[in-house]
């Protein structure tokens, strides 16, 4: 079994190349964000990142990740990130009716701007939302002192906003205008 430190390092590397910068190792993603696993291994192992990947390590990261950030294709040949891309990919998600409320965790230092401008995806394709306060709070802690915002998601949906549910349970939408936010 691989150490949690090594798995974490590999997970961060996979996030970097599958969500943000595949070109950093010369990797190409298809329009839906899929990378060929053999290409990924070959390019990672010859990159300057000093990552020593193999299929077993990739499989272990996918299976043990509590956030389920990655998925391997049904034929076992490809891998992609479930969400969180800063590059344009089509995850082929179908619109879904959200629950009445969803939650977004952020740091208090961003609160004034968010309450003024609403939630925007920043460098990512979508705004990420959670179904529960606890998860949103954990997300917010990554950026500083956390605050959780309550999103009137069903009302947004009824007023024409589209929501998607990623394979790992993260709710996605392109923006949340301030009128749909509550502290």
């Amino acid at each position: 079994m691989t150490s949690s430190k090594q798995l974490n390092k590999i997970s961060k590397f996979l996030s970097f190349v599958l969500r943000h910068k595949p070109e950093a190792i010369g990797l190409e993603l298809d329009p839906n964000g899929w990378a060929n696993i053999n290409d990924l291994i070959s390019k990672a192992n010859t990159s300057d990142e000093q990552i020593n990947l193999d299929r077993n390590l990739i499989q272990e990261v996918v299976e043990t990740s509590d956030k389920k950030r990655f998925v391997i294709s049904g034929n076992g040949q490809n891998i992609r990130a479930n969400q969180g891309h800063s590059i344009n990919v089509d995850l082929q998600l179908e619109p879904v009716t959200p629950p009445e409320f969803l939650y977004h965790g952020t740091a208090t230092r961003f609160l004034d701007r968010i309450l003024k401008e609403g939630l925007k995806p920043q460098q990512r394709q979508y705004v990420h939302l959670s179904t529960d306060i606890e998860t949103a709070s954990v997300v917010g802690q990554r950026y500083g002192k956390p605050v959780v915002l309550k999103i009137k998601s069903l009302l947004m949906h009824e007023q024409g906003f589209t929501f998607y549910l990623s394979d790992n349970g993260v709710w996605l939408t392109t923006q949340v205008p301030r009128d749909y936010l509550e502290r």
Side-chain angles (χ1 to χ4, degrees):
M1 180 142 164
T2 312
S3 75
S4 62
K5 185 176 178 181
Q6 186 179 9
L7 289 175
N8 189 44
K9 180 180 178 181
I10 293 167
S11 180
K12 285 182 179 188
F13 173 78
L14 292 176
S15 288
F16 177 69
V17 298
L18 296 176
R19 294 163 82 180
H20 308 296
K21 293 238 184 240
E23 70 275 10
I25 62 168
L27 186 66
E28 288 189 34
L29 305 182
D30 78 7
N32 306 122
W34 292 103
N36 179 277
I37 291 176
N38 290 333
D39 288 347
L40 172 63
I41 291 168
S42 172
K43 292 181 184 301
N45 291 342
T46 58
S47 74
D48 295 336
E49 301 295 323
Q50 297 183 356
I51 297 286
N52 199 8
L53 275 185
D54 63 35
R55 268 188 188 274
N56 291 334
L57 274 175
I58 291 171
Q59 188 72 41
E60 192 172 353
V61 167
V62 171
E63 289 175 0
T64 62
S65 168
D66 58 338
K67 295 180 182 173
K68 303 295 178 203
R69 284 192 172 109
F70 314 104
V71 63
I72 293 176
S73 62
N75 66 6
Q77 299 304 305
N78 302 299
I79 185 171
R80 77 173 178 189
N82 278 318
Q83 95 304 309
H85 297 83
S86 61
I87 55 176
N88 191 23
V89 298
D90 178 5
L91 296 175
Q92 298 177 299
L93 299 173
E94 295 294 322
V96 179
T97 301
E100 183 176 8
F101 299 107
L102 290 168
Y103 303 91
H104 180 80
T106 190
T108 55
R109 64 189 164 143
F110 302 128
L111 190 57
D112 288 342
R113 182 177 46 83
I114 291 170
L115 293 176
K116 183 177 172 185
E117 300 175 9
L119 285 169
K120 298 176 182 176
Q122 304 304 331
Q123 286 81 32
R124 297 192 180 186
Q125 279 189 286
Y126 297 103
V127 172
H128 295 190
L129 304 171
S130 306
T131 55
D132 62 273
I133 294 169
E134 183 180 328
T135 300
S137 183
V138 169
V139 170
Q141 286 176 349
R142 290 188 282 173
Y143 305 104
K145 185 178 178 194
V147 62
V148 174
L149 299 169
K150 186 177 184 179
I151 313 301
K152 300 173 194 170
S153 47
L154 185 57
L155 179 60
M156 280 181 66
H157 172 73
E158 290 168 350
Q159 294 181 353
F161 290 86
T162 304
F163 287 82
Y164 305 96
L165 183 59
S166 70
D167 290 343
N168 62 342
V170 175
W171 284 87
L172 308 169
T173 192
T174 57
Q175 65 172 321
V176 178
R178 68 182 188 180
D179 295 344
Y180 299 97
L181 296 170
E182 290 179 11
R183 260 190 98 167

